[in-house]
Amino acid sequence: MSTGVRAGATAQGPVVTSPGAIGPARLQVLDYFGGGPDKAWMTGVIKAFEKKYPQIDVSETTQNFDSIMKSLPLKLRSGSPPDIVPANNGWQSLGTLVRGNLVLDLDRYADAYGWKKSFPVSIQREHAFSSDGREMGTGPLFGTPIARGSIIEVYYNRALLKKLDAQVPKTFGEFESTLAKAEAAGVTPLSLGNVEGNGVLSGLFALTDALGDQQKIADFTYSHGDVPIRETGFREAVTTYKKWSDRGYLPKDYAAIPYADAMQSYLDGKQLFRFEYSGTLPTKPGDGDRFGSFVLPRADGGAPVATMSAASNFSISAKTKHSDAAAAFLNFAASPEAAKIAVEAGAMPMLATPRLPAGHEKLMADEVANVAQVAQDDTAVPYMDWSTPTMVNTMVQHMQDLFADKTSVPAVVAAVQDDYTKFRQEQREQMAR
């Protein structure tokens, strides 16, 4: 039987949301916004928040993402942890913190601020865990999204598309036809550098979204029911990606090309399309008019489904002495005002669609529209590698072997299912203790 122990800490007392009623506080915020639009956004958010809450002082500490992910549990167990931390979604990070009672259950604040009405359901589930810490995607919120989006989309080179006398694909069939047309014209259809192994994941997830079922992708990732990987669209995605490789749609020797070199090659105009996470194309001022983006259309003609989350999300330390002040910061970081600060900083907004600044580049308009459409349709799905602590390594390793003709599509699918089944069994055994 389950012990019934509630995971995650819970703040006590009535919730205070009025800016004037929250007492003096000093908040320590940890993030990984080291520079560029990310840093500009956070600086703007803190400045605007402190203006609204003059009695609350916000101190920001920035470290790189990998360092934070490795050290976060230790930081939160220390005698003076940060009040607000960027716990990554999934079992690798947030799930571990919830089960260790290191972050607060935020449902009382979700009710007070109306987060469960203002956040799309598909985005809310990315921050939810059951009260016993055993299930993901259901139960209380242990984190909140910021008003900055991250979506897997398809970048395209406007000049190359025009050279091919082609249009932005409106259907999946049109997309594949454009790949074939580009290859026939001597233009490399797709950008990819996969020496590190994870370069393939953005395209793999986008294909699963286009060829699969939104609900089953979410249920598999969150371990709801008994949805096998073969029913999500993953098998069809792996098959299609291998087909594209065999047809020469990818750069020659892409398996030996580093991610950074592949990105630069794309910026130099060497390929037509690139699967990528939004906001990661390192364009210089003015370059944004050379590129556009869209969400890969669904094969069944339905509303596009996209792997999407906040560009970061925040949780509150279980040891904070200022939970009301911290929750007020989380609420502000997810607000329309914070989304407006994002576009002013040249960053992708989410949870609101503010007016773009004068002179904005075409690429930014595309990306904002993509996120807004997915949010409006509520067709976001979580990253499938959140499903187990080891899934990202399993997918990367076996996709590398597949592209090198060292394994088969059924073997890739079986390996992913085995990883998933093993983790679920471990979960069941822990619940029975």
Side-chain angles (χ1 to χ4, degrees), residues 174-406:
E174 288 179 4
F175 182 74
E176 289 206 297
S177 294
T178 305
L179 295 178
K181 187 174 185 178
E183 196 277 333
V187 174
T188 303
L190 290 166
S191 167
L192 179 64
N194 204 45
V195 69
E196 298 90 347
N198 57 4
V200 71
L201 292 181
S202 55
L204 183 62
F205 294 157
L207 276 167
T208 304
D209 299 342
L211 299 172
D213 178 273
Q214 179 189 1
Q215 187 63 50
K216 289 186 176 181
I217 292 169
D219 285 347
F220 172 85
T221 305
Y222 296 134
S223 298
H224 290 180
D226 293 303
V227 177
I229 187 66
R230 68 177 182 275
E231 292 184 4
T232 64
F234 181 80
R235 178 177 56 184
E236 291 79 2
V238 173
T239 300
T240 300
Y241 220 159
K242 183 61 166 67
K243 176 184 71 175
W244 289 351
S245 174
D246 293 343
R247 290 183 177 178
Y249 292 172
L250 301 174
K252 293 181 179 179
D253 301 322
Y254 61 85
I257 299 175
Y259 174 90
D261 291 354
M263 178 69 82
Q264 188 57 54
S265 177
Y266 185 71
L267 291 172
D268 291 341
K270 301 294 180 60
Q271 298 91 30
L272 176 60
F273 294 123
R274 179 176 175 84
F275 289 106
E276 192 54 88
Y277 306 91
S278 59
T280 58
L281 204 66
T283 55
K284 298 176 182 178
D287 278 357
D289 288 336
R290 296 171 48 216
F291 301 96
S293 68
F294 58 92
V295 177
L296 187 65
R298 282 188 54 79
D300 64 7
V305 171
T307 299
M308 186 173 89
S309 67
S312 181
N313 47 275
F314 286 131
S315 296
I316 299 177
S317 166
K319 292 185 177 182
T320 185
K321 297 178 181 178
H322 306 291
S323 61
D324 285 349
F329 185 84
L330 265 57
N331 185 64
F332 188 81
S335 68
E337 185 173 351
K340 183 174 183 292
I341 293 171
V343 297
E344 290 171 349
M348 170 93 75
M350 194 175 80
L351 305 176
T353 309
R355 183 185 298 274
L356 294 176
H360 67 271
E361 296 180 343
K362 294 177 181 178
L363 177 57
M364 186 174 189
D366 284 351
E367 293 194 310
V368 169
N370 294 340
V371 169
Q373 188 63 56
V374 172
Q376 177 181 312
D377 295 338
D378 206 3
T379 52
V381 293
Y383 289 77
M384 294 184 76
D385 60 284
W386 293 351
S387 56
T388 83
T390 55
M391 185 59 77
V392 65
N393 293 330
T394 297
M395 289 182 171
V396 164
Q397 175 189 335
H398 288 86
M399 286 301 295
Q400 282 184 309
D401 288 345
L402 178 69
F403 283 159
D405 291 322
K406 295 179 180 179

